[in-house]
């Protein structure tokens, strides 16, 4: 019960049903696509990101202009798609902030700050992201980064109830996804598979917040007793009994939860294993169910109805947590209810929603972990000779960032086309020395693998140890890298064949965003350079490009109020790799002030932020710490890379401070910041449970040394009249 695109009478009946029991047949699945309302982040009951509205057309799209804008008051990642119901817009920002606005004017009705425990930033691999709200029963539901689920009064924003969703607070769980309302329950998962977590989803009663059921996605250590469900007893057979249960196993459901009213089931997409390498996680191998799977759960009980594993034996972070959508497609002459899914692993899957069996599975990018999927058995044909990096370095396609990721696609049933951002790229993967069987790092990264994305690989190769460099140059996929390091495109794809009808290049491999499609033949999306782009759904022709001056990752949406159709999108760079701001992005040139932009026909010009001032040379560092030696500095470098670099990229224009540019006052309190949490309220977590005082001093010594080198280099550049772009090549990533 998500206020899914129903006529008014149907919506009233649905509300009445919720007060005295829920009937899935009250959801009219014959109506596909959103109408005047956009009632959940996906738009309609099928979460199709498709609109039936037609006032904005191919002929007049060039007349789009700004209707209103709203300052979200932050400067971090924005990934949510707003919800609009009866003239009110509800949306979330980073950390789980919520905004309620007049959808016609942008007038603020109320806001909500979840008061997040900022220590949660320690466990957030991919920024303070939040992907949206759910609305039902007069409530707005949102998850906060520190793992709480809130039900807010839709009229006032006051908290109706709040639940701590974290099963074990000693582990690195967060929430970054949107809740999903399924009848009389609201379902939420968690992020953290790169850390030390075991995945699950939980359903709570919409009215009271009482826990209805919880489904764990992977088994626990069999030595601890029976599993929580029959499904997990079956899954246990696909894991080594001596698996790294202490680390947790992964399998978090950080996005991709969809309610299917036709079968009264909740379909979840399960994440990667932890640690990454199968040989480390489950030494004797095995498919490791239900990692990287779609799993259908009974709405009332949480019991598993079916599952389909898209990436068995995952070692590559090829999660199945990417958004899915529901539809009816003609397959072999018969119309079948299907779920369409394009996960990270590079295949386009069409599954039967009743049985979970694959009806189509076609590669849409280069893949080296598997070369095909057998539809009779449903199994991927694995190619370990090209992808098993436990035996030595491998260049694996697609990359761990995914052929597709969280950025929503759109499906137009009138054209039978699926519109999505697609990246064809790989990465070098290997197990760093000493990580073959690592100890658990409490509430810290436990990936146990290193990678280099292929756009950087040719430049990085000479810097790698000779054994790795020589091994890479002998790999078959090395030729793939030389032929085409990457492509990033917006594509129109036939779901059953995987073939592309048309495509358009994007600005770089990091330039991917969510998509909106309309029955009037529009495909709408944003770019990192700050353009809102409108293309012809039939041929990809560019119809409009509006410069906003703000980087866009989130999916646009559309709605109608008082006879006027609007298109809305949130702006803000961030997410995975958020510390490395692309030089071609608006966030790099103009900053990352977060805005909500709303357009209409005949609207005005979008105010474009001014360019940021030129970089100045780093200030002089303080004197080196007493007793610091080259060995101390080397230790600090290693500790910084392991613990700090995932956030502090030390790159120009990065969202967090470049620690090579610390002011004298910051140097004075460095250890208080790192070990005592001096800046924890601002988002800098404390590390005294991981780092000793001597280790913190080693990191400080390393940064002082780096600051001196940076200042010397930048003073030379300034004297030569050259720009001070201190961007450096990213050689290794810990995940």
């Amino acid at each position: 019960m998500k206020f899914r695109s129903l006529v008014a009478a149907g919506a009233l009946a649905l509300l009445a049903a919720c007060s005295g029991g829920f009937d899935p047949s009250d959801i009219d699945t014959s109506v596909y696509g959103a109408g005047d309302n956009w009632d959940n982040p996906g738009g309609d009951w099928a979460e199709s990101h498709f609109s039936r509205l037609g006032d904005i057309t191919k002929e007049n799209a060039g007349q789009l202009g700004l209707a209103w804008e709203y300052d979200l008051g932050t400067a971090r990642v924005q990934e949510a798609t707003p919800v609009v119901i009866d003239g009110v817009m509800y949306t979330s920002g980073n950390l789980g902030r919520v905004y309620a606005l007049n959808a016609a004017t942008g007038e603020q009705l109320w806001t909500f700050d979840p008061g997040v425990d900022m220590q949660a930033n320690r466990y957030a691999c991919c920024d303070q992201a939040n992907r949206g709200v759910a609305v039902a029963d007069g409530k707005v539901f949102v998850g906060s980064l520190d793992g709480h689920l809130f039900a807010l009064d839709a009229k006032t924003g006051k908290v109706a109830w709040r639940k701590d969703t974290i099963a074990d607070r000693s582990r690195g769980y967060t929430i970054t996804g949107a809740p999903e309302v399924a009848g009389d329950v609201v379902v939420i998962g968690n992020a953290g598979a790169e850390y030390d977590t075991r995945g699950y989803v939980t359903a709570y009663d919409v009215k009271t917040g009482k826990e209805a059921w919880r489904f764990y996605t992977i088994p626990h250590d069999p030595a601890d007793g029976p599993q929580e469900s029959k499904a997990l007893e079956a899954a246990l057979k696909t894991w080594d009994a001596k698996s790294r249960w202490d680390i947790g196993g992964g399998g978090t459901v950080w996005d991709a939860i969809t309610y299917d009213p036709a079968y009264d089931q909740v379909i979840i997409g399960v994440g990667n294993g932890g640690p990454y390498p199968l040989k480390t996680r489950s030494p004797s191998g095995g498919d490791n169910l239900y990692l990287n799977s779609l799993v259908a759960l009974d709405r009332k009980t949480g019991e598993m109805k079916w599952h389909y594993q898209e990436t068995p034996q995952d070692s590559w972070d090829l999660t199945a947590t990417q958004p899915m959508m529901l539809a009816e497609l003609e397959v072999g002459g018969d119309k079948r209810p299907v779920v369409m899914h394009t996960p990270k692993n590079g295949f386009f899957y069409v599954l039967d929603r009743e049985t979970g069996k694959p009806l189509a599975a076609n590669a849409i990018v280069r893949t080296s972990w598997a070369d095909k999927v057998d539809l009779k058995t449903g199994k991927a044909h694995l190619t370990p000779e090209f992808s098993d990096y436990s035996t030595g370095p491998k260049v694996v396609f697609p990359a761990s960032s995914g052929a597709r990721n969280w950025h929503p696609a759109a499906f137009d049933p009138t054209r039978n086309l699926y519109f999505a951002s697609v990246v064809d790229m790989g990465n070098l993967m290997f197990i760093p020395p000493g990580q073959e069987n690592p100890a658990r790092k409490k509430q810290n990264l436990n990936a146990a693998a290193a990678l280099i994305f292929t756009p950087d690989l040719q430049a990085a190769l000479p810097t790698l140890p000779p054994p790795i460099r020589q091994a890479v140059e002998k790999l078959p996929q090395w030729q793939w890298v030389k032929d085409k390091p990457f492509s990033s495109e917006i594509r129109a794809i036939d779901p059953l064949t995987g073939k592309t009808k048309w495509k358009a290049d994007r600005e770089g491999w990091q330039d991917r965003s969510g998509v909106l499609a309309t029955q009037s033949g529009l495909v709408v999306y944003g770019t990192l350079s700050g353009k809102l782009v409108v293309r012809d759904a039939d041929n990809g022709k560019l119809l409009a490009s509006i410069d906003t001056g703000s980087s866009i990752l989130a999916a646009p949406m559309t709605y109608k109020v008082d006879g006027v159709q609007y298109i809305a999108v949130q702006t803000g760079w961030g997410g995975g790799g958020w510390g490395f701001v692309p030089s071609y992005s608006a966030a790099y040139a103009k900053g990352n002030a977060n805005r909500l932009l709303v357009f209409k026909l005949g609207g005005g010009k979008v105010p474009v932020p001014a360019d940021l001032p030129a970089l100045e040379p780093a200030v002089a560092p303080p004197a080196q710490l007493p007793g610091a030696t080259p060995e101390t500095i080397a230790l600090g470098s290693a500790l910084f890379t392991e613990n700090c670099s995932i956030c502090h990229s030390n790159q120009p224009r990065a969202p967090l401070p470049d620690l090579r540019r610390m002011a004298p006052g910051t140097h004075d309190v460095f250890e208080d910041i790192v070990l005592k949490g001096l800046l924890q309220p601002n988002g800098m977590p404390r590390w005294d449970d991981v780092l000793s005082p001597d280790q913190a001093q080693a990191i400080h010594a390393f940064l002082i040394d780096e600051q001196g080198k940076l200042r010397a280099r930048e003073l030379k550049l300034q004297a030569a009249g050259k720009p001070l772009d201190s961007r450096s090549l990213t050689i290794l990533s810990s995940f």
Side-chain angles (χ1 to χ4, degrees), residues 166-231:
I166 303 302
D168 182 351
R169 283 280 169 186
S170 72
R171 295 180 179 269
Y173 288 103
T174 54
I175 290 179
T176 59
E180 175 82 350
V181 173
D184 52 8
V185 298
V186 55
V187 185
I188 190 70
N190 304 95
E194 276 72 39
Y195 291 78
D196 55 353
T197 60
R198 177 189 177 212
Y200 60 89
V201 294
T202 314
Y204 298 92
D205 183 273
V206 164
K207 289 187 175 299
T208 67
K210 181 181 178 182
E211 183 176 320
W213 49 261
R214 174 168 285 171
F215 179 83
Y216 281 92
T217 59
I218 61 172
H220 61 65
D221 188 342
D224 292 337
Q227 303 296 323
E228 291 89 346
S229 67
K230 293 180 180 179

Side-chain angles (χ1 to χ4, degrees), residues 283-428:
S284 65
D287 286 351
N288 285 191
L289 290 171
Y290 298 98
L291 295 177
N292 305 72
S293 301
L294 295 189
V295 181
L297 306 174
D298 183 276
R299 174 188 64 85
K300 297 182 289 294
T301 66
E303 293 183 3
M304 189 177 75
K305 299 175 74 171
W306 56 257
H307 75 276
Y308 178 73
Q309 190 171 45
E310 294 173 334
T311 312
Q313 303 181 30
D314 176 47
S315 289
W316 315 286
D317 187 25
L318 298 179
T319 64
T321 49
Q322 289 58 55
M324 65 191 85
M325 59 186 68
L326 313 180
E328 282 195 353
L329 295 181
E330 187 171 311
V331 183
D334 296 323
K335 272 204 167 183
R336 291 298 304 162
V338 302
V339 54
M340 294 178 286
H341 197 225
T342 50
K344 280 188 180 183
N345 75 12
F347 285 85
F348 193 136
Y349 296 90
V350 179
L351 305 183
D352 190 300
R353 297 202 325 258
E354 184 177 11
T355 65
K357 293 184 178 179
L359 303 174
N362 296 288
I364 57 174
V365 297
R366 294 171 291 179
T367 64
S368 64
W369 68 273
D371 57 12
K372 62 182 178 180
V373 175
D374 186 333
L375 293 183
K376 291 183 179 179
T377 65
K379 298 281 287 186
H381 181 254
L382 303 180
T383 51
E385 63 272 25
F386 302 135
S387 59
D388 181 5
Y389 57 91
S390 69
T391 61
K394 295 289 190 298
V395 177
V396 182
F397 282 78
S400 298
S401 55
R404 295 266 304 119
N405 209 303
W406 65 265
H407 317 79
F411 177 64
D412 182 342
T414 66
R415 292 170 171 81
N416 195 42
L417 287 175
Y418 181 96
F419 304 100
S421 296
V422 179
V423 176
D424 185 353
M425 180 177 77
N427 49 219
L428 170 66

Side-chain angles (χ1 to χ4, degrees), residues 631-642 698-699 702-703 706:
E631 291 75 20
T632 304
I633 293 170
L635 173 62
S637 174
L639 290 168
F640 182 89
T641 299
E642 181 179 359
I699 293 173
F702 160 69
L703 291 170
E706 286 292 297

